């Protein structure tokens, strides 16, 4: 008897009136799917993880997480905001231990695993270690960082930090923040102040419940002169009892769409005094006499942004891994409608339309991981180029900077379009599970609500897409002026050639044809935006106005360039993968390419790269590839290697025993009661009401006497 | 001093450290937007509501709702599932009163108004009155309905009903439900039984907490023979104490993605006996001797389906009204980034991209209402045709039935694509509000979670879209065989002509050109699907297999036909509207048409109706129309006439005082506390931990002696 079989029987044992009909047994159905898998799932997992050692490390960490009582998540979907916050802080405490004893990469992996089922935790923990502590590290002088380390900034000994940047009135436009930091030369202090309601610090994660200190972004003012936005460490609470420091007002932002584990708060400062040296002075310095020294060169601060975006691309893939696993496993065992009356009903996964709904999302999940991996490598090689070029001839430095610029544009586009794609994927997967997708216990609702913030924070997606479009116009102009472009945008150097490119009689599955098609489409989109931009400038608009007037074209350019990056990145991965893996992933890569083309058919037709008949062929090919991928889909999600604990959705359980597992979860989460608590007060009076009869007071008889 | 001004000052009075800078005052900004409005908002409201009387009735009802303490919603977003359920039941009791004293249409209007801010309530109430009671009415014989009315089915006196159709294993495929109703001739009873886990009734709204009875769908079995799924009234609970009837097991389905006000439950029947006459016998009858009489003709049960779908189209528009009001008002007063350094920052609504994000959604909101209104009229006129045709010559009946068939297909497509569109619109609006869209108090999270179920229930959207595509293939074939088609699909009769149609030199804004374009596109899509279908049939596939193989083509056909219906429906409304209204709505209608074309540009290019340059023109025209609509957008959302109570989102408040109103709501909802409740237990130990030193036990000195 197989292990899943035994497990099912064990669960069924608890149920009365349950017969399992072998013809409709979901465990058998899942086994049938696994038997279809024609490749070594384990090998694919190693490939995705970047090697067997990495997989084994992940599994070790997963085990330690699953066994940890503070990490339990079988009650997760029923917790109130208050409970989630406390639970999150327990996990915080737990992880703080590992951070001090494990290598950084291991802790990071551990954190990313926990965040699969609890992204709010990732943020709450990240607020201290990622935002607060990194800001300290990046902004402090040597003496300053020693001071803060001594005070417990890394060890959490007596201090937890938060990152007070955003205000009620300003998010994207950081330079316009209103909070002031006024130098008082007499006392050698800064006075931190919130001058208006809109200057209230807002959305500050950790502020409501956790933080003792913040890094505060404020306008530096000396002798009435503004010197721009700088960062200051401001103590918020006394660690002994969490009472507020004088002049600090903090409130709780309360309920959010999701991520209730984060205690976002608002902060108002009323003339709060801090020592001058609490201003982080690695770059801009303020002397005892109030003399400001700006750094000789504005820093190249792209680095942190790009690694942040890379993480979000990989996170988009991670989220989609969990979602597609649930939806595809459910589709592999759920049956509805029989093809022939009286026959066993058809599995959802066998419907062409259902394949159409899920297989492209599975392909996209892989595409996003490969794009994230590629971005990560590009970033590292660019950093190496920069390091090597230091002090060397200017051509090498120029090229490195050109690469960094491209990385900046590309990562902006990828962050935007991948977080959008994965947010959409969550709800598409939810919808594909019909009614059961709406149960909280199957995880989709929480996943969507938690992921929703990804598209507006860390750079609002629309703004990032427009920046990426602006950067593409820049590269196009560089090419026109004869400059050498970075690899990723090199195609913009051959716009003329690409304009007349056509798939023609060539095979639509040919990688060269696919690549050229995306380049042709992107080149056309970028050129359209660039030409419109020039036209507006010639008509007398300023640069900024001209960019504004080409918003929609810039957005489209970024959209098609980014999709092209994802498609061709998948093809690159296929070409570089070992033969065995390539064979497995080829249909998936082609599906992603065909589906992406179909979704943008208007652009390809406008570019004249494919003709109308070819667009029909591409649609048919997409259908065929969906079917091909469907046959391996169970293995393709198994390769993500997420245990049932991390899936945390009964209809997505590994062994296919969806009905008993789901029923069991629902029963355990909702112990039966007789009448609801409001029965006596609300229902009973309703049921026993006597409808007031139309008994009117009788009119007095006027004739009476 | 204006009323909003006074209100703002009243709020500001409570705040410390607040200065209002007139240059960035959001109330002034909103007044500025209102002054731009170049039309009579009130007239547009009357037009949308269907007359001034209707508007006034709505306002009377809105007032009575706002004043009713049971209807308070300022604490809505912080309620737990348990609180929401109780609150919902209080509203239920409250509305049950009005249902008995108000005309049906008035109660219905009242219900639809409440459901704007609490869709879960709409469902919980609808379960009894819409599903349970209507099933009784539609399925009972005269004696049966008298009996149930006497028992309180309408007055709720001693009985509340639920609708036990769906099972754990079956949703869409109702005919395959597993619950059995076996006739016991000896006792003249039916035995209702749940034979397996998957037969458990699932998702039954009202079952967990509210219902005393259900209408149960079960397989009728007599002498071992199955007679298909019929409906039975089964008592569930004793009304006095809500204890369960013998043999009935009920559990709570607990947390859902949204609509927590509904107490969805599961039900298992263990050989529960009911009198024979508890089977609803208007259609199929079972005699004392167990003889089954089927009705002479399968009923035309399209009617209820179509009105249900019409309601969901209008509901999609209602939801979008609320969402676009919030997002547009916020965009009218929120500023971010200055066009010129030092200048006042630009309103979000003045960014071209922001117009692109919101104005099409506003146009879509209007389009969905007009489509719903049109569908409603089509339905009524079709019912009249049917009534008139009764007993008359068969040609009139045929035409009426042809119309009903078209209505069935069209309403299926509209339900699917409108609920999808409005669900997307909620999150697009949320995203356009940046971080503040993520606060629970601005309503988007709840709205999305509540609306999400719309796309999978009342006919899963994908299945409906495929049905609609199937119906279009049917109409195409009817046309080929010379049959007269209903108006809405009449264009399928001139496919040949449409295939060579081109916009050519004509004006892209010309209604005739727009209409012809959508017909040409739809005709091509339907023909492609129909030809593929024929090809598969010729290749030996069965009808069902051939339909299955053309799923993607059917889906596309339905998508473009439905979008065409929405676009041309808007144009129809414009043509029929009074001159004043037409002038106001024209840019909105054109925007909807242009944007819809742009979104489907691949299809229009494949159809050869527009060329590539025209597609670029249409994109430019969309930009221009977005700007034109932007100037009137404040008035266009004001016309929806939703008071701040119904908007229930501080950043969408009427007077534009978004910051103080939002701050006020956050503060009231989250009274300040000092340390969080888990401070002593979780945070303090973390802050005061002493990192364990690496003090190892000293090795014994082996040399010691």
């Amino acid at each position: 008897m197989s292990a899943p079989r035994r497990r099912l029987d064990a669960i069924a044992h608890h149920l009365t009136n349950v017969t399992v009909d072998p013809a409709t047994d979901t465990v058998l159905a899942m086994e049938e799917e696994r038997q279809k898998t024609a490749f070594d799932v384990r090998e694919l997992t190693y490939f995705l993880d970047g090697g067997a050692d990495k997989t084994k490390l992940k599994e070790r960490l997963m085990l330690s997480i699953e066994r940890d009582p503070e990490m339990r998540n079988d009650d997760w979907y029923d917790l109130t905001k208050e409970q989630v916050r406390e639970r999150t802080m327990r996990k915080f405490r737990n992880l703080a231990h590992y951070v001090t004893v494990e290598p950084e990469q291991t802790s990071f992996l551990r954190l990313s695993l926990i965040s699969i089922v609890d992204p709010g935790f990732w943020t709450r923990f990240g607020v201290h270690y990622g935002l607060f502590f990194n800001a300290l590290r990046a902004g402090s002088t040597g003496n300053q960082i020693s001071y803060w380390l001594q005070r417990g900034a890394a060890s959490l000994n007596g201090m937890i930090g938060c990152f007070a940047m955003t205000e009620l009135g300003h998010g994207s436009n950081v330079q316009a923040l209103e909070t002031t930091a006024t130098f008082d030369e007499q006392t050698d202090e800064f006075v931190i102040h919130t001058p208006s309601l809109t200057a209230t610090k807002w959305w500050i994660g950790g502020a409501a419940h956790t933080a003792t200190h913040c890094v505060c972004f404020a306008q530096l003012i000396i002798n009435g002169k503004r010197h721009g936005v700088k960062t200051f460490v401001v103590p918020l609470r006394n660690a002994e009892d969490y009472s507020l420091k004088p002049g600090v007002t903090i409130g709780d932002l309360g309920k959010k769409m999701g991520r209730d584990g984060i205690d976002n708060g608002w902060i108002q400062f009323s003339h709060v005094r801090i020592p001058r040296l609490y201003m982080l002075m690695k770059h801009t310095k303020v002397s005892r006499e109030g003399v400001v020294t700006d750094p000789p060169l504005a820093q190249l601060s792209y680095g942190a942004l790009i690694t942040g975006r890379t993480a979000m691309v990989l996170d988009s893939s991670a989220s989609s891994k969990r979602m597609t696993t649930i939806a595809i496993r459910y589709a592999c065992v759920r049956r509805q409608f029989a093809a022939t009356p009286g026959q066993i009903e058809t599995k959802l996964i066998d419907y062409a339309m259902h394949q159409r709904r899920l297989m492209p999302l599975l392909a996209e999940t892989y595409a996003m991981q490969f794009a994230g991996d590629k971005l990560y490598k590009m970033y590292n090689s660019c950093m190496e180029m920069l390091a090597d070029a230091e002090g060397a001839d200017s051509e090498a430095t120029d090229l490195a900077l050109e690469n960094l610029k491209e990385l900046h544009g590309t990562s902006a586009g990828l962050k935007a379009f991948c977080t959008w794609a994965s947010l959409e994927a969550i709800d598409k997967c939810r919808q594909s599970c019909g009614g059961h997708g709406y149960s909280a216990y199957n995880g989709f609702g929480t996943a969507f609500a938690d992921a929703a913030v990804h598209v507006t924070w860390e750079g609002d997606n629309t703004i990032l897409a427009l920046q990426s479009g602006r950067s593409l116009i820049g590269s196009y102009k560089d090419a026109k002026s004869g400059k050498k472009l970075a690899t990723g945008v090199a195609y913009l150097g051959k716009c003329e050639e690409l304009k007349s490119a056509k798939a023609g009689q060539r095979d639509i599955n040919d990688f060269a044809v696919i690549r050229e098609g995306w380049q042709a489409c992107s080149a056309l989109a970028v050129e359209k935006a660039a030409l419109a931009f020039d036209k507006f400038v010639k008509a007398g608009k300023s640069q900024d106005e001209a960019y504004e007037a080409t918003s929609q074209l810039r957005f489209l350019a970024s959209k098609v360039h980014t999709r092209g990056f994802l498609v061709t990145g998948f093809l690159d991965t296929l070409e570089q993968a070992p033969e065995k893996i390539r064979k497995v992933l080829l249909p998936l890569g082609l599906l992603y390419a065909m589906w992406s083309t179909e979704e943008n058919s208007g652009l390809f037709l406008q570019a004249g790269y494919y003709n109308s008949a070819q667009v029909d062929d591409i649609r048919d090919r997409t259908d065929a590839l969906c079917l091909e991928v469907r046959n391996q889909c169970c293995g393709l999600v198994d390769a993500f290697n997420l245990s049932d604990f991390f899936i945390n959705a009964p209809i997505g359980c590994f062994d296919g025993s969806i009905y008993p597992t789901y029923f069991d979860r629902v029963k355990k989460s909702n112990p039966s009661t007789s009448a609801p608590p409001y029965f006596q007060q609300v229902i009973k009076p309703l049921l026993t009401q006597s409808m007031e009869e139309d008994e009117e007071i009788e009119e007095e008889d006027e004739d009476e006497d």
Side-chain angles (χ1 to χ4, degrees), chain A:
Chain A
M1 197 192 265
S2 69
R5 178 85 272 166
R6 275 197 307 276
R7 188 172 149 233
L8 173 66
D9 284 358
I11 294 171
H13 189 71
H14 294 288
L15 307 171
T16 49
N17 298 312
V18 172
T19 60
V20 176
D21 177 354
T24 56
D25 177 2
T26 55
V27 172
L28 291 181
M30 191 65 97
E31 282 173 1
E32 182 186 84
E33 288 301 322
R34 293 231 157 78
Q35 276 157 19
K36 279 195 188 130
T37 305
F39 63 94
D40 184 336
V41 172
R42 196 72 183 159
E43 286 296 324
L44 183 55
T45 301
Y46 293 159
F47 180 77
L48 286 172
D49 285 341
D53 288 350
K54 196 81 178 291
T55 300
K56 282 163 194 165
L57 173 60
K58 269 175 88 171
E59 287 173 344
R60 209 192 57 166
L61 296 174
M62 282 162 81
L63 190 73
S64 100
I65 292 168
E66 288 193 27
R67 287 179 175 172
D68 188 332
E70 303 287 20
M71 299 288 172
R72 72 174 284 206
N73 67 7
D74 59 327
D75 59 352
W76 186 242
Y77 305 119
D78 270 304
L79 298 182
T80 63
K81 180 189 74 192
E82 287 66 30
Q83 292 170 320
V84 168
R85 285 189 177 180
E86 176 171 346
R87 183 74 64 86
T88 306
M89 204 57 205
R90 289 180 182 279
K91 295 182 194 173
F92 190 119
R93 203 181 140 190
N94 186 308
L95 198 68
H97 161 74
Y98 286 109
V99 163
T100 58
V101 299
E102 279 179 345
E104 193 174 342
Q105 281 307 310
T106 308
S107 303
F108 192 78
L109 195 56
R110 184 184 287 275
L111 184 57
S112 72
L113 286 167
I114 301 173
S115 80
I116 292 174
V117 278
D118 182 5
F121 167 75
W122 193 92
T123 314
R124 190 147 171 196
F125 197 81
V127 161
H128 176 85
Y129 281 101
L131 295 178
F132 175 78
F133 187 61
N134 278 341
L136 270 192
R137 266 208 296 214
S140 292
T141 62
N143 286 348
Q144 288 182 322
I145 193 67
S146 304
Y147 176 81
W148 293 115
L149 285 172
Q150 235 169 16
R151 297 285 300 270
S155 63
L156 295 178
N157 227 323
M159 114 182 248
I160 301 177
C162 67
F163 190 74
M165 183 162 78
T166 306
E167 295 174 359
L168 178 56
H170 287 91
S172 297
N173 188 6
V174 174
Q175 287 313 313
L177 292 173
E178 295 177 73
T179 303
T180 52
T182 311
F183 183 57
D184 180 346
E185 199 187 329
Q186 242 179 341
T187 59
D188 197 23
E189 289 171 322
F190 284 109
V191 180
I192 309 292
H193 186 60
T194 303
S196 69
L197 175 61
T198 47
T200 306
K201 292 292 174 187
W202 205 261
W203 284 127
I204 313 308
H209 280 179
T210 330
T212 57
H213 290 71
C214 74
V215 163
C216 175
F217 285 64
Q219 299 284 353
L220 171 62
I221 301 177
I222 301 181
N223 290 326
K225 193 180 166 223
R226 289 180 172 243
H227 294 266
V229 171
K230 311 292 168 201
T231 46
F232 304 81
V233 179
V234 187
L236 301 173
R237 287 185 172 97
N238 302 302
E240 312 78 54
D241 60 357
Y242 264 44
S243 56
L244 294 171
K245 296 276 183 190
V248 174
T249 316
I250 292 183
D252 186 346
L253 281 183
K255 271 298 268 184
K256 301 184 297 291
M257 187 171 171
R259 299 198 186 217
D260 274 332
I262 319 167
D263 54 327
N264 296 86
W266 54 265
I267 311 175
Q268 289 176 334
F269 302 100
S270 303
H271 305 286
V272 173
R273 291 181 166 264
I274 54 168
R276 175 173 52 89
L277 288 171
Y278 277 24
M279 171 176 157
L280 299 179
M281 293 206 192
K282 184 171 178 185
H283 308 303
T284 299
K285 292 177 178 33
V286 175
S287 73
R288 177 65 190 88
E289 296 76 27
V291 178
V292 178
T293 326
D294 278 318
L297 271 176
Q299 297 291 115
L300 270 176
S301 59
Y302 285 169
L305 278 179
I306 294 172
T307 48
R309 290 171 189 168
T310 308
M312 290 182 81
V313 172
L314 289 170
D315 196 49
S316 298
S317 177
S319 156
S320 283
K321 283 177 182 173
R322 180 165 169 249
M323 295 297 117
T324 52
T325 301
I326 302 171
I328 287 175
R329 287 191 181 153
Y330 178 73
C332 283
V333 302
R334 169 81 170 184
R335 298 171 185 277
Q336 204 78 183
F337 293 109
T340 322
Q343 289 282 302
I344 183 170
E345 290 176 289
T346 306
K347 289 178 176 178
L348 296 190
I349 199 75
D350 283 320
Y351 287 102
M353 198 65 212
H354 215 80
Q355 293 161 13
R356 267 282 186 172
R357 293 168 80 177
L358 294 179
M359 297 306 112
L361 300 182
L362 181 58
E364 186 178 71
T365 305
Y366 277 85
M368 291 191 293
Q369 165 159 356
F370 299 146
D373 290 344
K374 185 174 166 183
L375 201 59
Y376 188 68
K377 276 181 210 142
M378 283 167 68
Y379 172 72
N380 284 337
S381 97
C382 180
M383 287 298 115
E384 274 172 35
M385 279 169 79
L386 271 174
D388 292 350
E390 210 164 6
D393 60 306
S394 69
E395 206 180 309
T397 309
D398 272 7
L399 190 63
L401 288 175
E402 193 62 36
N403 270 285
L404 193 62
K405 209 168 85 184
E406 183 221 334
L407 254 178
H408 192 243
T410 298
S411 64
L414 278 171
K415 185 272 181 182
F417 292 101
C418 289
T419 55
W420 268 325
S422 72
L423 184 63
E424 258 185 50
I426 297 170
D427 204 57
K428 284 181 183 170
C429 286
R430 191 268 302 174
Q431 292 186 29
S432 79
C433 298
H436 298 318
Y438 202 64
S439 169
Y441 308 105
N442 290 319
F444 296 109
T446 305
F448 187 90
D450 285 348
V453 75
H454 264 317
V455 305
T456 55
W457 72 5
E458 291 277 320
D460 176 82
N461 277 8
T462 303
I463 295 180
L464 286 182
L466 289 174
Q467 279 176 4
S468 138
R470 193 168 177 146
S471 146
L472 289 167
I473 292 181
S475 298
Y476 174 88
K477 287 175 171 300
D478 285 350
K480 284 279 162 197
S481 68
K483 220 167 162 181
K484 191 169 185 306
L485 297 181
T487 330
V489 285
Y491 69 90
L492 293 174
K494 42 176 191 163
C495 276
E496 285 312 309
E497 189 184 320
L498 285 169
K499 245 189 279 185
S500 56
K502 275 185 195 342
Q505 299 304 311
R506 291 177 293 165
D507 181 357
I508 53 171
N509 299 292
D510 185 329
F511 282 16
V513 175
I514 296 172
R515 280 205 177 92
E516 190 188 56
W518 282 97
Q519 291 185 350
C521 254
S522 302
L524 182 68
V526 175
E527 185 172 79
K528 268 185 193 170
L531 295 180
F533 174 80
D534 285 346
K535 197 188 73 188
F536 287 122
V537 170
K538 269 184 204 131
K541 283 190 191 286
S542 73
Q543 294 263 325
D544 280 344
E545 287 166 351
Y547 275 123
E548 171 60 18
T550 48
S551 295
Q552 179 64 9
L553 290 168
R554 270 194 289 153
F555 187 87
L556 284 177
S558 167
K559 187 176 162 191
V560 59
H561 169 80
T562 306
R563 192 67 170 258
F565 183 94
L566 281 154
V567 169
T568 55
F570 205 143
L571 303 186
D572 295 348
T573 303
L574 288 175
E575 284 172 345
Q576 291 150 18
E579 174 59 24
K580 265 190 193 167
I581 298 288
R582 179 161 61 243
K583 225 182 110 189
V584 178
L585 294 181
L586 180 63
L588 212 52
L590 283 174
L591 172 58
Y592 187 65
M594 295 299 144
W595 175 62
S596 298
T597 305
E598 193 192 18
E599 291 231 309
N600 292 282
S601 64
L603 293 172
F604 282 88
L605 287 163
Q606 278 199 286
Y609 191 78
Y610 295 121
N611 60 32
S612 176
Q614 284 170 322
V615 167
D616 285 344
D617 288 347
I618 285 168
R619 198 198 49 242
D620 290 346
R621 186 78 184 107
T622 308
D623 284 346
L625 285 161
C626 279
L627 179 61
E628 199 174 336
V629 171
R630 173 258 170 277
N631 289 318
Q632 300 302 313
C633 67
C634 184
L636 288 167
V637 300
D638 282 352
F640 298 149
N641 204 25
L642 293 167
S643 73
D644 282 352
F645 176 92
F646 289 93
I647 291 295
N648 202 17
I651 59 167
C653 63
F654 180 82
D655 68 7
S657 65
I658 61 167
Y659 296 122
T661 309
Y662 179 26
F663 186 57
D664 203 43
R665 171 72 80 97
V666 166
K667 273 180 95 167
K668 280 194 184 138
S669 302
N670 300 279
S672 65
T673 50
S674 52
Y678 50 89
F679 173 69
Q680 289 297 339
Q681 223 201 325
V682 188
I683 299 184
K684 189 129 192 192
L686 171 65
L687 283 172
T688 54
Q689 71 195 320
S690 66
M691 296 285 160
E692 273 179 45
E693 307 265 328
D694 270 354
E695 252 186 71
E696 290 174 19
I697 297 179
E698 236 173 275
E699 197 87 53
E700 306 295 330
D701 191 344
E702 286 181 13
D703 291 342
E704 191 176 290
D705 57 359

